[in-house]
Amino acid sequence: MKITKLTTYIVPPRWLFVKVETDEGISGWGEPIVEGRALTVEAAVHELSDYLIGKDPFLIEDHWNVMYRGGFYRGGAVHMSAIAGIDQALWDIKGKALNVPVHQLLGGQCRDRIKVYSWIGGDRPSDVARNAKEMVERGFTALKLNGAEELQIIDSYAKIDAIVETIGTVRDAVGPHVGIGADFHGRVHRPMAKVLAKALDPFRLMFIEEPVLSENYEALKEIANHTSTPIALGERLYSRWDFKNILSGGYVDIIQPDLSHAGGITECRKIASMAEAYDIALAPHCPLGPIALAACLQIDAVSYNAFIQEQSLNIHYNQDNDILDYITNREVFDYKDGFVAIPQGPGLGVDVDEAYVIERAKTGHRWRNPVWRHEDGSFAEW
């Protein structure tokens, strides 16, 4: 079998798909994307395709090494996301060719299902609480919300009080045992992060996410000493080498590699195993499409330390299309009692609706991060 063609599709709401074809008629799908940089990653995918055309798709480890190490400059969001989507597609091909799910090729599943959490939105505490209660009524047992608005490096305690009010209202609405993740989104700098983390302790959160930007990981030691809440981080880390200092530092409790950003299935399998050696939990980041989610579930299936999976159904970003729109076997993501079953179909286990992908690619997207500013006019982290 030889790789014959790579085709990319930029599709709403903010995704990029890649189809890898072979001369035996077996194709695989991947999701290489950096949100807001779809055209850039698309170009990187096509640059990598120059090497892949004519190669045996089964040699995934070797292809990964060449795609990563074959360039003098390596790593980072764009490069690793391009590799990630191609890697997913190669695993999809191999699973389909052998008629087994990818997790069977990785040693076999160690769980039948995994808990999922749902994003909740809203502008006021009452709105957020109402949305949270609705998600619990739909069967979710874990939720995540943006836990902080933009904060300057030193900011007002009025903002801290407002955040505490929102989280407290959500906790009151859903009761004491629903998991709540509060995403600081890298919006909070070190001085205010330790204040906020301590203030949120009484709400017994499932985790606080990105209390500071990953590049400021040295601040985690002090933040960890101000809270008993588990700390999660990792959606903006792209390789095992990026995670190395985070893991060895010992101040993160949950890592969140993104299967479409951090080198795909091949790399995230290694990152998950590294984390297990440090007794750190795995919760893959995935506010993306169905191919990315299916790839995450393959890693969840074989990773002892995986405990929950992010997913984007009905997320606020998905305004034009949602994850079920692009697949024909929608039952694969049939959530029950707050869990989703591990896919059992060959490859990634999702059947991509290629005709619909092609149709929506005619519309495409140019999604961009919003630009926020503080009251004094300076740039604010989104």
Side-chain angles (χ1 to χ4, degrees), residues 287-359:
L288 297 171
I291 304 168
L293 178 56
C296 287
L297 293 174
Q298 307 302 320
I299 293 298
D300 293 328
V302 299
S303 301
Y304 173 79
N305 50 336
F307 81 102
I308 200 164
Q309 177 59 56
E310 182 174 26
Q311 54 81 42
S312 75
L313 187 64
N314 298 320
I315 198 172
H316 48 290
Y317 299 119
N318 296 354
Q319 296 178 357
D320 300 313
N321 283 111
D322 217 324
I323 63 172
L324 301 182
D325 296 342
Y326 291 105
I327 57 175
T328 58
N329 59 333
R330 298 182 176 189
E331 70 281 357
V332 72
F333 298 135
D334 184 16
Y335 306 147
K336 291 182 179 178
D337 302 321
F339 286 80
V340 66
I342 301 300
Q344 297 302 314
L348 295 178
V350 289
D351 299 327
V352 175
D353 187 342
E354 185 172 0
Y356 188 72
V357 169
I358 292 171
E359 181 62 28

Side-chain angles (χ1 to χ4, degrees), residues 165-377:
E165 179 188 2
T166 298
I167 300 294
T169 305
V170 171
R171 174 54 78 202
D172 290 342
V174 301
H177 301 305
V178 169
I180 299 174
D183 189 355
F184 288 16
H185 221 251
R187 296 171 180 171
V188 188
H189 297 272
R190 174 176 177 167
M192 301 308 293
K194 59 184 182 181
V195 173
L196 184 54
K198 186 175 182 179
L200 294 178
D201 251 2
F203 302 114
R204 301 170 69 189
L205 300 178
M206 181 170 59
F207 56 75
I208 54 174
E209 180 175 336
E210 276 198 324
V212 291
L213 291 167
S214 299
E215 52 261 41
N216 296 328
Y217 74 90
E218 69 280 351
L220 294 172
K221 178 179 180 180
E222 189 171 5
I223 295 167
N225 287 331
H226 281 78
T227 181
S228 60
T229 304
I231 294 174
L233 184 144
E235 69 189 65
R236 287 187 267 196
L237 300 174
Y238 310 113
S239 71
R240 72 199 91 151
W241 298 281
D242 288 349
F243 276 94
K244 184 163 60 172
N245 288 334
I246 295 295
L247 296 173
S248 63
Y251 298 105
V252 170
D253 305 290
I254 303 161
I255 59 160
Q256 301 169 302
D258 190 306
L259 269 287
S260 283
H261 298 334
I265 291 169
T266 298
E267 184 70 351
C268 287
R269 170 69 157 150
K270 296 171 183 178
I271 292 167
S273 295
M274 288 171 64
E276 184 183 351
Y278 286 94
D279 205 22
I280 292 173
L282 174 71
H285 180 255
C286 190
L288 297 171
I291 304 168
L293 178 56
C296 287
L297 293 174
Q298 307 302 320
I299 293 298
D300 293 328
V302 299
S303 301
Y304 173 79
N305 50 336
F307 81 102
I308 200 164
Q309 177 59 56
E310 182 174 26
Q311 54 81 42
S312 75
L313 187 64
N314 298 320
I315 198 172
H316 48 290
Y317 299 119
N318 296 354
Q319 296 178 357
D320 300 313
N321 283 111
D322 217 324
I323 63 172
L324 301 182
D325 296 342
Y326 291 105
I327 57 175
T328 58
N329 59 333
R330 298 182 176 189
E331 70 281 357
V332 72
F333 298 135
D334 184 16
Y335 306 147
K336 291 182 179 178
D337 302 321
F339 286 80
V340 66
I342 301 300
Q344 297 302 314
L348 295 178
V350 289
D351 299 327
V352 175
D353 187 342
E354 185 172 0
Y356 188 72
V357 169
I358 292 171
E359 181 62 28
R360 294 304 288 145
K362 295 175 183 176
T363 299
H365 67 83
R366 290 185 67 85
W367 188 88
R368 297 290 183 266
N369 289 4
V371 175
W372 286 5
R373 294 192 180 275
H374 295 295
E375 291 180 359
D376 62 4

Side-chain angles (χ1 to χ4, degrees), residues 34-45:
V34 173
E35 298 91 310
R37 297 286 184 269
L39 289 167
T40 315
V41 179
E42 182 180 44
V45 168

